[in-house]
Amino acid sequence: MLNDAYGNPVTTNSADTIKVIDAFVDSYIGFGTDFSGIFGAADRDPDCAIAAAYATLLGLFVETPARVDLSGKYSKMAKAAFGKATEREQIFTSAVLCLHALDVAGALTHFRTLASDHPGDLFSVKLGQNTYFNLGDDDGLLWLINQVFDRHKDCAYAYGMRAFGHEQQSKFAEAEADGRRATEMKRKEPWAHHAVAHVLLTQGRHDEGIKWMADLSNEWEDRNSFMFTHNWWHQALFFLEQEDFQTPLKLYDEKIWGVDKTYSLDQVNAISLLWRLEQLGVDVGDRWADLSSFVADRTLINDQPFFDMHYVYALARGGQTEALEALMAGAEKLGRDAPKLTRTVWADVAVPSMRGYISLVQGDHKAAVQQMATAQPRLQEIGGSHAQRDMFQLAWVTSLVEAGDFDRALPILEARIAFRQGVAMDTHLLENARARAS
């Protein structure tokens, strides 16, 4: 037995296996890039079930058909080594095997057990948080980190993870305090930067947000493409909501689109920014053509409702008819056949919303409103953050205005103004709606 960086015993006598595991874990929690060595470590150390479990995860993260063979190979290795593993390793391996089998509910049960019984496993908390996040379950997300926080109170990552959990529950003072504390402890903690950015955006503190992110942006250069592009996306939102539209376009071209055009989360960041700009009347030029071509070339679709609800707009906006039809057919099938935990989300939230977004692109705002209406109260269930889902709220309210449904549009916009006053974007959306209603 050797211990990993968090003091957890690992069934191995190989210092190399521990080194690779520590790099893998730190890269996942800290949004680094040192992942691929886990495949070789699992191959060289076949009796180490948790190394094979990590390798299975990395296989699942691959966004090409290779994910099937990779995750399948290492899940078999994890099962073969299972009996030699510690209790913690067995529970974690079981969680990963559940994810491999698309049993998300089973995986969450194991993550909760780990948090309660094996608080040293911070990686499992981060993975569990991400799983809850994809389901829109903010309570579960915060619960996990709270169970283990005392064990990791000297770790900046724990503060960053708790900061985001607090922010998603609108505990803004706690979130900001944790995010700033994490950054003081470890300047290169981009998830903490991101959590504070959420608070500052939600509270309408745009100038503070711009300075906060600008001062820390040099720490993102060596992070993975999602964290790099996502934090720049947050910076772009501060400018966009102040109605400085040229800066977001510049950030789109230089920081947000182009790091890894094939990666789902990079695509989502790019789609989200262009879509918001268009909803505010900004001409984004021919940018949809390039973006939609990469979305159309995806070999992995219908992975999450949140993703598909972005992809559908990009494909419709870019005129990618064949890919759009395939995306919709897959989403509709999941609305019938997906596991129970997500089936109704596909059927009742994602699919009607996606139909509405197609109508929006076609200029039929009355149809868009009719199609989106039933899904609006349940958007939390698709996952994503409040800031990310706000794009769908903007699509809804701008469609209401275009459809002439001011009885529903005006109260939404008035509530936005009441929640955070002085935001130019919200002020002008309300002024425009009132002018058109009069």
Side-chain angles (χ1 to χ4, degrees):
M1 286 284 175
L2 296 175
N3 290 346
D4 67 15
Y6 291 96
N8 300 297
V10 178
T11 306
T12 185
N13 293 316
S14 169
D16 178 68
T17 297
I18 294 295
K19 180 181 178 181
V20 173
I21 284 175
D22 286 345
F24 180 87
V25 167
D26 190 71
S27 286
Y28 186 78
I29 299 176
F31 297 89
T33 59
D34 195 358
F35 292 103
S36 60
I38 199 67
F39 291 138
D43 291 336
R44 293 188 298 272
D45 201 347
D47 291 336
C48 183
I50 202 164
Y54 292 142
T56 302
L57 270 178
L58 187 57
L60 291 173
F61 296 156
V62 172
E63 296 190 347
T64 70
R67 76 185 298 184
V68 175
D69 290 340
L70 282 170
S71 62
K73 171 186 173 180
Y74 291 104
S75 66
K76 290 176 183 176
M77 291 177 63
K79 291 175 185 176
F82 190 87
K84 302 171 185 175
T86 65
E87 180 183 69
R88 176 191 73 92
E89 292 173 310
Q90 288 182 345
I91 299 169
F92 180 83
T93 299
S94 296
V96 172
L97 293 175
C98 283
L99 292 176
H100 182 255
L102 303 181
D103 179 9
V104 177
L108 288 172
T109 297
H110 292 306
F111 290 137
R112 292 178 73 89
T113 300
L114 284 164
S116 297
D117 298 349
H118 299 277
D121 194 338
L122 193 62
F123 180 93
S124 71
V125 172
K126 182 67 171 177
L127 184 59
Q129 278 197 318
N130 288 346
T131 307
Y132 274 123
F133 178 71
N134 292 336
L135 298 172
D137 188 337
D138 297 335
D139 291 338
L141 190 153
L142 183 57
W143 183 89
L144 283 176
I145 186 60
N146 278 341
Q147 300 313 297
V148 308
F149 186 80
D150 285 346
R151 172 70 176 265
H152 300 279
K153 59 186 178 183
D154 295 326
C155 176
Y157 291 146
Y159 285 88
M161 291 160 68
R162 192 172 70 169
F164 188 64
H166 279 144
E167 191 281 328
Q168 287 298 283
Q169 290 204 344
S170 299
K171 297 176 179 178
F172 299 123
E174 295 93 330
E176 184 172 358
D178 275 346
R180 291 185 182 275
R181 174 64 176 140
T183 304
E184 290 169 1
M185 295 171 69
K186 184 181 179 70
R187 183 174 168 84
K188 192 181 291 296
E189 215 301 61
W191 194 242
H193 311 164
H194 155 270
V196 174
H198 268 272
V199 172
L200 300 178
L201 184 74
T202 304
Q203 294 185 331
R205 296 158 60 190
H206 293 76
D207 290 339
E208 287 182 66
I210 290 168
K211 185 178 188 307
W212 169 257
M213 296 300 267
D215 288 348
L216 292 164
S217 61
N218 64 321
E219 301 294 344
W220 312 333
E221 294 292 332
D222 63 348
R223 299 299 85 188
N224 64 39
S225 68
F226 161 69
M227 197 73 262
F228 177 85
T229 61
H230 190 63
N231 273 354
W232 280 113
W233 174 85
H234 269 283
Q235 182 73 314
L237 293 190
F238 287 119
F239 289 101
L240 179 148
E241 292 196 353
Q242 289 184 320
E243 297 193 327
D244 171 356
F245 299 132
Q246 291 308 305
T247 300
L249 284 171
K250 187 172 187 291
L251 290 175
Y252 176 93
D253 292 335
E254 297 179 359
K255 303 291 187 181
I256 296 169
W257 181 237
V259 180
D260 184 353
K261 292 185 176 184
T262 68
Y263 187 42
S264 58
L265 288 168
D266 288 38
Q267 292 172 353
V268 164
N269 287 327
I271 293 165
S272 176
L273 184 55
L274 288 192
W275 191 351
R276 288 169 194 255
L277 286 164
E278 286 200 328
Q279 288 178 95
L280 299 174
V282 179
D283 182 357
V284 302
D286 61 358
R287 291 176 176 85
W288 284 115
D290 182 49
L291 177 48
S292 68
S293 70
F294 280 90
V295 176
D297 285 344
R298 293 192 60 78
T299 56
L300 179 64
I301 57 174
N302 307 131
D303 192 44
Q304 293 182 35
F306 177 78
F307 289 175
D308 279 15
M309 287 168 62
H310 286 78
Y311 297 154
V312 70
Y313 187 86
L315 294 174
R317 189 64 180 77
Q320 303 283 351
T321 304
E322 184 177 344
L324 180 61
E325 290 174 353
L327 184 80
M328 288 302 302
E332 289 163 358
K333 185 176 187 301
L334 284 167
R336 300 186 298 270
D337 303 335
K340 183 179 179 181
L341 186 63
T342 57
R343 188 184 312 141
T344 59
V345 179
W346 282 104
D348 300 340
V349 184
V351 169
S353 295
M354 292 163 71
R355 290 173 180 155
Y357 302 150
I358 294 171
S359 294
L360 191 157
V361 171
Q362 294 170 341
D364 189 345
H365 293 94
K366 289 187 177 180
V369 165
Q370 184 177 13
Q371 290 157 331
M372 286 189 275
T374 59
Q376 288 307 115
R378 295 179 56 186
L379 282 179
Q380 172 90 17
E381 297 174 43
I382 67 168
S385 69
H386 301 310
Q388 288 173 312
R389 291 193 303 271
D390 192 54
M391 182 190 68
F392 301 126
Q393 178 78 342
L394 284 174
W396 170 241
V397 74
T398 54
S399 293
L400 287 172
V401 171
E402 292 298 323
D405 191 342
F406 302 108
D407 287 343
R408 282 194 284 184
L410 288 172
I412 294 171
L413 291 168
E414 288 163 354
R416 291 177 72 94
I417 294 291
F419 180 70
R420 50 171 199 172
Q421 298 179 5
V423 177
M425 178 189 76
D426 292 339
T427 299
H428 288 157
L429 284 170
L430 179 59
E431 288 174 351
N432 175 62
R434 284 174 171 167
R436 294 182 62 169
S438 62

